[in-house]
Amino acid sequence: QVQLVQSGGGSVQAGGSLTLSCATSGYTNSPYCMAWFRQAPGKEREGVAVIEDGAKTKYADSAKGRFTISKDNANTLYLHMSSLKPEDSAMYYCAAHWLVRCELTSQFRHWGQGTQVTVSS
């Protein structure tokens, strides 16, 4: 079965940087689309960034210019976050699917366990 295991969350001060990782396994063909989502208490889950096979990326407006999504040859997914703001505080989830579309609004079937990011002011 497909598994996504996250690491790298934590607490940082505003303006700081943090990198999240998501190790993937349990499949034969590489995921066509991988993504990072986040959800803060009382808010809807928000797509932060997606990366498709071929490394094309899309970002939420809130993440553009500050966050970078990437993956390595082992299909480990990363989210490098810089210039962090308190409003970035949320539970962050990685996700993957094998569908053609790779958008922030795509429906993802496979999810990581989540990791908390807390940004203090």
Side-chain angles (χ1 to χ4, degrees):
Q1 60 183 24
V2 176
Q3 291 185 294
L4 286 73
V5 180
Q6 299 179 222
S7 61
S11 298
V12 297
Q13 61 184 343
S17 299
L18 195 65
T19 298
L20 308 181
S21 300
C22 177
T24 65
S25 63
Y27 52 81
T28 299
N29 298 318
S30 299
Y32 179 77
C33 183
M34 302 177 71
W36 288 99
F37 290 79
R38 67 186 181 187
Q39 187 169 23
K43 295 184 178 180
E44 295 292 316
R45 186 167 60 197
E46 173 191 21
V48 177
V50 296
I51 184 168
E52 69 177 64
D53 193 21
K56 290 185 177 181
T57 59
K58 290 182 178 291
Y59 296 90
D61 288 341
S62 60
K64 290 179 181 177
R66 300 188 299 120
F67 292 8
T68 301
I69 186 171
S70 64
K71 59 182 179 180
D72 63 18
N73 292 333
N75 288 315
T76 296
L77 184 70
Y78 303 93
L79 184 68
H80 177 68
M81 303 179 289
S82 62
S83 301
L84 283 163
K85 304 175 181 179
E87 50 263 46
D88 294 318
S89 297
M91 185 72 73
Y92 283 72
Y93 300 88
C94 60
H97 70 62
W98 278 255
L99 302 177
V100 174
R101 286 194 64 189
C102 193
E103 305 286 346
L104 293 170
T105 56
S106 295
Q107 295 184 352
F108 289 80
R109 180 175 181 179
H110 305 286
W111 295 85
Q113 81 278 17
T115 187
Q116 181 68 42
V117 172
T118 302
V119 184
S120 61
S121 60

